[in-house]
């Protein structure tokens, strides 16, 4: 993925360790992407060189959570 393909305001999944996390793109700048983690509400900066961490765009958040949400025991 390149900076040109990243859409402002879109939600993408990303790999954080062994988990997948949903990120909402707040701003695209020449050095990377500023996002908000929707699970923790923290601001995340992904450098231009690390854009391969970003995965597919999430179109339906409730369906994504159904498949990728944490299992509750």
């Amino acid at each position: 993925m390149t900076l040109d393909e990243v859409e402002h305001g879109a939600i993408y999944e990303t790999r954080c360790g062994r988990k997948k996390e949903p990120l909402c793109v707040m701003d695209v700048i020449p050095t990377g992407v500023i996002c908000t983690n929707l699970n923790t509400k923290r601001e995340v900066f992904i450098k231009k060189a690390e854009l391969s961490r970003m995965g597919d765009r999430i179109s339906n958040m409730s369906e994504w959570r159904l498949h990728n949400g944490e299992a509750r025991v």
Side-chain angles (χ1 to χ4, degrees):
M1 180 173 284
T2 65
L3 283 176
D4 296 332
E5 296 171 345
V6 178
E7 295 179 34
H8 184 271
I11 300 173
Y12 293 91
E13 70 178 18
T14 187
R15 265 252 184 262
C16 293
R18 293 177 12 194
K19 293 174 46 178
K20 290 182 181 177
E21 298 283 343
L23 296 179
C24 181
V25 176
M26 292 173 33
D27 200 11
V28 180
I29 56 176
T31 56
V33 180
I34 301 171
C35 307
T36 301
N37 184 326
L38 296 179
N39 287 343
T40 61
K41 307 296 185 219
R42 289 188 176 183
E43 193 172 285
V44 179
F45 179 73
I46 298 179
K47 296 178 185 177
K48 186 177 179 180
E50 297 174 349
L51 279 179
S52 62
R53 284 185 2 184
M54 291 183 74
D56 298 329
R57 184 175 180 187
I58 299 172
S59 58
N60 186 343
M61 196 62 197
S62 60
E63 185 177 322
W64 185 87
R65 286 205 190 278
L66 178 67
H67 296 292
N68 296 302
E70 293 184 21
R72 298 179 192 248
V73 179

